[in-house]
């Protein structure tokens, strides 16, 4: 029997064992397999391992998406986690490209995946509070939100959880250095049903941009030292 003689249910089952690239390659062989590739039922779960994967055309975003994971463990994560005011020009350009890619992708998710149940972001140094806030509003069924080592996430995200996370059951903000104990206590007080994990977050050193010294202040200090 040729593969195209299988019914739709069997083909979907076979496609489910393939990674995104393999699905795309198989879909190019004939119209019937292309139709299977475009079936929303095939795309209820998506896993990505780098921002570059978000720009490929080997997957579909739609209302069927329930589980989304973007976990970036590359050495380049270290560059993205450096405070903005400490980056050189090359690093800023590098990070700007990733920021636009990730934020643009999450905006697409907000607009096209209202039935999302679970989101995991790890090592995504460019994800902002605003992105998560919009996602919580646009995806009201979200039950699990796991953020790990996302340096731009602050207490604003925790506040958004209390305001818009009506369906949320599990919240992880592990190794997010700009989360505070005050923000965590607010979530526990206002959303007691949410299981909160914040490993190391409130105990890490938060970002703090060095204050620019007034030239007159510097001069006065120098004169005092002399």
């Amino acid at each position: 029997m040729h593969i195209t003689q299988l019914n739709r249910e069997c083909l979907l089952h076979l496609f489910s064992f393939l990674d995104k690239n393999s699905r795309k390659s198989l879909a190019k062989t004939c119209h019937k397999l292309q139709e299977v590739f475009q079936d929303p039922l095939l795309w209820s779960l998506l896993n990505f391992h780098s921002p570059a994967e978000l720009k490929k055309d080997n997957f579909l975003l739609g209302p069927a998406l329930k589980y989304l994971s973007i976990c970036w463990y590359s050495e380049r994560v270290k560059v993205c986690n450096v405070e903005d005011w400490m980056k050189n020009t090359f690093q800023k350009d590098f990070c700007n490209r990733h920021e636009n890619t990730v934020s643009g992708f999450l905006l697409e998710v907000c607009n096209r995946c209202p039935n999302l149940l679970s989101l995991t972001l790890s090592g995504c140094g460019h994800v902002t509070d605003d992105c998560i806030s919009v996602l919580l509003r646009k995806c009201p069924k979200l039950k699990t939100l796991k953020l790990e080592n996302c340096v731009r996430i602050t207490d604003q995200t925790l506040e958004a959880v209390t305001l818009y996370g009506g369906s949320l059951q599990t919240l992880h903000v592990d190794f997010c250095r700009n989360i505070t104990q005050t923000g965590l206590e607010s979530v526990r007080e206002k959303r007691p049903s949410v299981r909160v994990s914040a490993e190391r977050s409130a105990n890490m050193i938060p970002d703090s941009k060095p204050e620019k010294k007034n030239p007159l202040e510097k001069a006065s200090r120098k004169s005092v030292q002399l």
Side-chain angles (χ1 to χ4, degrees):
M1 177 182 289
H2 193 273
I3 186 173
T4 55
Q5 294 178 286
L6 296 173
N7 61 34
R8 186 63 162 259
E9 184 177 352
C10 289
L11 289 174
L12 283 170
H13 185 65
L14 289 175
F15 264 76
S16 69
F17 289 98
L18 303 177
D19 60 28
K20 295 188 289 296
N21 284 332
S22 298
R23 291 178 183 181
K24 183 66 175 180
S25 297
L26 186 57
K28 292 179 179 179
T29 59
C30 71
H31 291 298
K32 183 172 183 178
L33 296 181
Q34 177 67 24
E35 291 177 358
V36 176
F37 176 83
Q38 295 175 339
D39 193 317
L41 294 177
L42 188 63
W43 303 103
S44 61
L45 182 151
L46 282 173
N47 294 315
F48 298 94
H49 303 288
S50 78
E53 293 183 17
L54 303 178
K55 297 188 289 185
K56 295 183 178 181
D57 63 346
N58 58 0
F59 63 91
L60 295 180
L61 285 180
L65 183 63
K66 301 289 183 62
Y67 307 94
L68 173 62
S69 172
I70 306 174
C71 297
W72 194 23
Y73 299 113
S74 165
E75 285 295 316
R76 296 179 180 181
V77 171
K78 295 179 180 179
V79 175
C80 300
N81 285 345
V82 173
E83 293 89 335
D84 289 339
W85 59 86
M86 296 179 65
K87 294 174 184 173
N88 58 37
T89 302
F90 172 78
Q91 290 172 328
K92 288 181 179 179
D93 181 62
F94 173 83
C95 290
N96 284 339
R97 293 197 300 271
H98 286 160
E99 180 176 1
N100 294 334
T101 298
V102 175
S103 60
F105 178 81
L106 287 178
L107 181 60
E108 286 293 311
V109 171
C110 291
N111 293 330
R112 300 166 62 179
C113 309
N115 298 313
L116 190 67
L117 297 178
S118 174
L119 173 65
T120 298
L121 301 174
S122 181
C124 298
H126 305 300
V127 175
T128 65
D129 295 315
D130 289 340
C131 280
I132 301 301
S133 179
V134 173
L135 190 135
L136 286 167
R137 293 199 300 269
K138 295 283 189 174
C139 303
K141 298 180 181 180
L142 192 70
K143 294 183 178 181
T144 300
L145 176 61
K146 295 183 178 181
L147 306 173
E148 177 184 296
N149 195 20
C150 296
V151 297
R152 291 194 178 185
I153 295 301
T154 72
D155 286 357
Q156 291 183 37
T157 287
L158 300 183
E159 183 179 0
V161 166
T162 65
L163 294 174
Y164 313 116
S167 299
L168 208 63
Q169 298 176 357
T170 301
L171 172 66
H172 288 195
V173 283
D174 300 327
F175 297 93
C176 296
R177 64 179 182 242
N178 291 304
I179 292 293
T180 71
Q181 191 63 44
T182 301
L184 293 171
E185 290 173 357
S186 177
V187 173
R188 293 187 176 107
E189 178 184 348
K190 297 177 181 178
R191 294 284 183 185
S193 62
V194 177
R195 296 187 296 273
V196 180
S197 170
E199 185 177 353
R200 296 287 298 277
S201 292
N203 296 323
M204 299 178 77
I205 299 175
D207 294 345
S208 179
K209 188 171 183 177
E211 296 182 2
K212 293 182 178 180
K213 301 296 184 181
N214 188 307
L216 294 177
E217 181 182 352
K218 287 184 178 180
S220 62
R221 289 188 178 183
K222 185 176 181 179
S223 62
V224 169
Q225 291 175 353
L226 293 175

